[in-house]
Amino acid sequence: MRWILLVYLFSPSLVWGQLLINEIACNVPGSDWVELFLYSAQPVSMDISSLYVTMYYSTNEPLSQNPVTIYSYDKPETPWDDRFVVVHLTDATTPDECDATGDANSNGVLDVYCNNYVNSLWNTDCVVAIDTDDDPSNGGIIDFVAYSNRDGSFNQSICQYLASAIQQAQWVGTASEACMVDIGKNGLQEYQSIIRKAALDSNSLDDFVITPYLTPGHPNILPVNHSKDTFIKINKKIVLTKRAIEQCRIFIFQPCTLRVRLFSSQGYKMYESELLSALPGFYTIDWVRQIKKMRCGLYLGTVEAQDSKNRQSIEFYCIVVE
């Protein structure tokens, strides 16, 4: 009876509660990433630095050498959403953002970087797990997602990882492509991701859907219908300061390019950006780097956006106050 009690008390699914994989991006430029989410009706927090976010293949490492705390609620004193942590799986050099550093790169997201298997994640057959180590067979799985392009050539290593998750009741089905999230024969596009539809977890493919909106560090956006003529949603007039950079967020429906310009109140051009590529989802125009070089005053910021596919264009402006 004592052994049964010990297993119950230290089962990973009980110790770590509702720590969930919330979003998976396996074909983004730069490095693949996985967004973690802590769901609880009660205000709780946990240090997740010792855990692994992994597809198991080859070598992997824990999230961080320093404490990284995730919360079931968003703390008002932090400029990022404390319910989320974004794990970059293939970056061996960028320092982690942890409790001590906060959001060091000021992108509104808490990012950690792992020196995992260099080619993860695969955009074909693949699994993603939160685990206490990088061995799928020893009972340490906390949450698990399996996805596949269902082309009929099932990778045997992935099949073994999936079988381990099914044996531990962390995934539902048989060890086959049919029980995995379908990402389409050609895999995901660079602007697509796999997202959790709701906080309830049935440990099955029914929990997930493919979306064209990348939202790292923010709540997921389910696929929505919109006019083919609409590729960007903006506010025509925005007052912006260094302390309110979030007011310049826009939402992009289709891949597009942006060019940013900044003018003095007398009409002199102070800055012009290179052509910026923007993927669907939220996008923040980062004026801060330029504002730091300028004197106090009133500036006019303009953003010219062009739909990459249909070549439609639109221009909007911001009132920038330093």
Side-chain angles (χ1 to χ4, degrees), residues 61-74:
E61 69 175 16
L63 296 185
S64 182
Q65 297 300 312
N66 302 301
V68 178
T69 303
I70 191 170
Y71 296 79
S72 64
Y73 57 96
D74 186 17

Side-chain angles (χ1 to χ4, degrees), residues 260-263 287 299-303 316-320:
V260 178
R261 299 178 179 89
L262 199 63
F263 297 86
W287 300 100
Y299 299 90
L300 175 66
T302 69
V303 180
F316 65 98
Y317 65 90
C318 308
I319 304 301
V320 182

Side-chain angles (χ1 to χ4, degrees), residues 34-37 48 68-70 83-87 110 112:
V34 175
E35 178 190 73
L36 307 185
F37 174 64
I48 60 174
V68 178
T69 303
I70 191 170
R83 299 172 297 172
F84 303 98
V85 171
V86 175
V87 182
L110 200 65
V112 297

Side-chain angles (χ1 to χ4, degrees), residues 39-319:
Y39 172 77
S40 174
Q42 303 300 320
V44 297
S45 64
M46 60 181 65
D47 176 13
I48 60 174
S49 59
S50 65
L51 300 180
Y52 289 69
V53 174
T54 174
M55 67 169 284
Y56 294 118
Y57 197 84
S58 189
T59 57
N60 302 275
E61 69 175 16
L63 296 185
S64 182
Q65 297 300 312
N66 302 301
V68 178
T69 303
I70 191 170
Y71 296 79
S72 64
Y73 57 96
D74 186 17
K75 299 192 298 180
E77 63 268 26
T78 57
W80 64 90
D81 193 326
D82 301 273
R83 299 172 297 172
F84 303 98
V85 171
V86 175
V87 182
H88 302 264
L89 298 180
T90 59
D91 189 321
T93 58
T94 307
D96 295 329
E97 295 179 344
C98 57
D99 293 354
T101 67
D103 179 18
N105 63 2
S106 301
N107 69 342
V109 180
L110 200 65
D111 298 287
V112 297
Y113 302 87
C114 294
N115 186 21
N116 286 353
Y117 167 57
V118 67
N119 290 322
S120 65
L121 300 165
W122 291 341
N123 196 22
T124 51
D125 297 329
C126 196
V127 302
V128 181
I130 311 173
D131 202 317
T132 55
D133 57 23
D134 64 348
D135 182 350
S137 63
N138 62 0
I141 299 175
I142 296 165
D143 196 30
F144 184 92
V145 180
Y147 63 87
S148 172
N149 65 348
R150 300 192 180 185
D151 64 355
S153 58
F154 196 18
N155 181 277
Q156 289 306 300
S157 294
I158 299 301
C159 181
Q160 292 173 9
Y161 307 152
L162 177 58
S164 293
I166 293 171
Q167 290 170 4
Q168 297 170 50
Q170 290 294 335
W171 196 253
V172 175
T174 58
S176 68
E177 292 178 315
C179 78
M180 303 166 76
V181 178
D182 187 357
I183 61 171
K185 187 175 181 179
N186 296 321
L188 298 187
Q189 299 295 316
E190 64 179 11
Y191 55 84
Q192 293 179 310
S193 66
I194 303 167
I195 61 168
R196 184 177 292 276
K197 293 187 286 189
L200 296 178
D201 187 21
S202 68
N203 292 323
S204 75
L205 60 84
D206 294 332
D207 295 332
F208 298 92
V209 68
I210 307 302
T211 180
Y213 311 119
L214 301 174
T215 56
H218 302 283
N220 294 335
I221 299 175
L222 294 173
V224 296
N225 294 322
H226 60 86
S227 169
K228 293 182 179 180
D229 295 332
T230 303
F231 71 94
I232 191 169
K233 183 180 180 180
I234 59 174
N235 292 319
K236 290 293 184 180
K237 296 181 180 180
I238 305 171
V239 175
L240 176 69
T241 70
K242 286 190 292 187
R243 292 168 296 281
I245 187 67
E246 68 276 2
Q247 292 183 28
C248 204
R249 284 207 309 174
I250 58 181
F251 191 81
I252 297 169
F253 292 100
Q254 300 285 351
C256 67
T257 57
L258 305 172
R259 192 178 299 278
V260 178
R261 299 178 179 89
L262 199 63
F263 297 86
S264 70
S265 56
Q266 290 79 32
Y268 295 106
K269 184 168 67 176
M270 310 293 291
Y271 168 73
E272 179 174 333
S273 75
E274 59 185 7
L275 202 60
L276 307 171
S277 297
L279 297 176
F282 287 107
Y283 188 94
T284 300
I285 305 297
D286 184 7
W287 300 100
V288 173
R289 180 168 57 90
Q290 298 305 319
I291 293 175
K292 286 180 179 178
K293 302 176 183 178
M294 299 177 183
R295 299 177 180 177
C296 294
L298 181 69
Y299 299 90
L300 175 66
T302 69
V303 180
E304 181 182 357
Q306 185 175 77
D307 184 346
S308 300
K309 182 178 181 180
N310 299 317
R311 298 299 179 184
Q312 297 175 333
S313 62
I314 188 173
E315 187 172 20
F316 65 98
Y317 65 90
C318 308
I319 304 301

